[in-house]
Amino acid sequence: MSGRLPLRFGYGTNGFAHHTLDEALRIIADLGYDGVALTLARHHLDPYAKDAPARTARLAGLLDRLGLSAVVESGDPLLLDPARPHRPGLLCEHGADARVDLVRRAVRITAELGADTVHFTSGHTPEGLTEQAALDRLAAGCRPLLAAAETHGVTLALEPEPEMFVHGIDRFAALRERLDGHPLLRLTLDVGHAHCVEPRPVLDCVHQALPHLAHVQIEDMVRGVHRHLEFGAGEIDFPPLLRALADGGHRGLVSVEIQDGSPDAARVAQRSLAFLYEAARVRETA
């Protein structure tokens, strides 16, 4: 007998950069994905557009008709500054208020879509800022975001990102302690990032993350090289990782994030789902 682990797979719209958002969502749904990780972007859903509320309402209806659940990624890397990816971030001395405003917009859009999770990053560490000072500054930036999350009933899921201040689970844990374990501050675990930079094996990272996990991003990767690869092109062993997620009770989305797949997005998405279905297959001997 055989079956599939109780996991729900999604695909990131940042891997459909050459499609309209409607086209991307219809392809993702037609392929059989359970959900979508929706990146706020000028060419898809622009949080600064005057008609953003109307577009969001229409999008909520489309997601419902397609049977897709959603998580919201709080912004394309170049959304705030077209010349400097991911800047300004929450730790910047100048411009952090713009990042706070963007994540607040993402929280509102998430609620309007009927979704419950928005994820964000810490941003880079300004030169000369100590770890403790950076934690204090990041906690201060998160407090208004958590207030917005409380208002809208949305979870904030911080994603550790290579080269950023919060690049691993330990820094997330330190921030959460600074914020008194706020129940709406949870974790987005990108398993490729964990394999890339964490000192422990990625399977250990999954077990460490599970108590705080809201969302999972998944792709293959080579240790020490921050490049999102198709499954099988890197070093990660996925079947035990997926089993650990399922056995640990994760029922949020497990979302494929392969931005470089955009030129051949539909086929990359198709191959990715076939790989994940096979990796999540449980075989039992009668």
Side-chain angles (χ1 to χ4, degrees):
M1 298 177 60
S2 67
R4 189 163 66 83
L5 295 169
L7 295 171
R8 299 167 56 240
F9 297 120
Y11 200 88
T13 58
N14 58 7
F16 277 83
H18 305 311
H19 291 72
T20 68
L21 184 55
D22 281 17
E23 289 169 342
L25 296 179
R26 293 182 191 281
I27 292 170
I28 290 167
D30 286 347
L31 289 173
Y33 282 93
D34 302 294
V36 60
L38 176 66
T39 298
L40 301 183
R42 301 284 186 193
H43 62 292
H44 279 166
L45 183 60
D46 184 353
Y48 299 106
K50 291 182 180 180
D51 62 346
R55 291 187 183 189
T56 303
R58 178 187 170 281
L59 178 59
L62 178 60
L63 289 168
D64 184 61
R65 290 192 298 275
L66 294 174
L68 291 173
S69 59
V71 298
V72 173
E73 300 189 30
S74 60
D76 178 88
L78 298 174
L79 190 56
L80 290 180
D81 188 332
R84 300 185 305 154
H86 300 292
R87 291 177 172 82
L90 290 171
L91 293 170
C92 290
E93 186 175 358
H94 304 291
D97 54 341
R99 180 64 59 177
V100 169
D101 175 68
L102 173 57
V103 180
R104 279 174 167 162
R105 289 170 187 259
V107 166
R108 187 183 67 247
I109 287 170
T110 300
E112 290 170 353
L113 289 175
D116 60 12
T117 300
V118 57
H119 73 80
F120 69 111
T121 58
S122 66
H124 299 82
T125 311
E127 187 175 353
L129 199 65
T130 67
E131 179 175 351
Q132 296 307 309
L135 278 170
D136 289 340
R137 188 178 291 184
L138 182 56
C142 285
R143 289 189 179 98
L145 303 181
L146 288 166
E150 290 171 356
T151 298
H152 292 282
V154 168
T155 294
L156 287 172
L158 181 63
E159 178 191 357
E161 179 91 18
E163 294 94 41
M164 290 192 180
F165 174 68
V166 177
H167 58 270
I169 301 172
D170 290 345
R171 284 265 173 92
F172 162 79
L175 174 66
R176 197 168 186 275
E177 183 178 351
R178 278 286 203 288
L179 293 165
D180 302 318
H182 197 293
L184 292 182
L185 179 64
R186 300 187 71 192
L187 181 68
T188 289
L189 178 68
D190 186 306
V191 299
H193 293 173
H195 179 69
C196 181
V197 302
E198 290 276 13
R200 59 186 70 83
V202 65
L203 190 58
D204 290 353
C205 294
V206 170
H207 289 298
Q208 183 184 3
L210 275 167
H212 310 296
L213 200 55
H215 181 218
V216 174
Q217 291 183 315
I218 194 164
E219 68 283 317
D220 216 338
M221 203 167 286
V222 172
R223 188 162 184 81
V225 182
H226 183 199
R227 183 182 176 193
H228 294 230
L229 303 172
E230 281 198 60
F231 299 113
E235 302 169 337
I236 299 175
D237 184 14
F238 288 96
L241 184 154
L242 295 177
R243 179 181 286 278
L245 288 171
D247 290 349
H250 177 67
R251 297 298 180 263
L253 285 179
V254 178
S255 300
V256 179
E257 187 178 43
I258 306 176
Q259 302 96 319
D260 289 349
S262 286
D264 194 22
R267 285 192 288 187
V268 172
Q270 183 179 39
R271 291 194 295 266
S272 297
L273 189 58
F275 180 96
L276 289 171
Y277 276 170
E278 181 59 28
R281 192 73 60 193
V282 179
R283 293 182 176 84
E284 299 174 356
T285 302

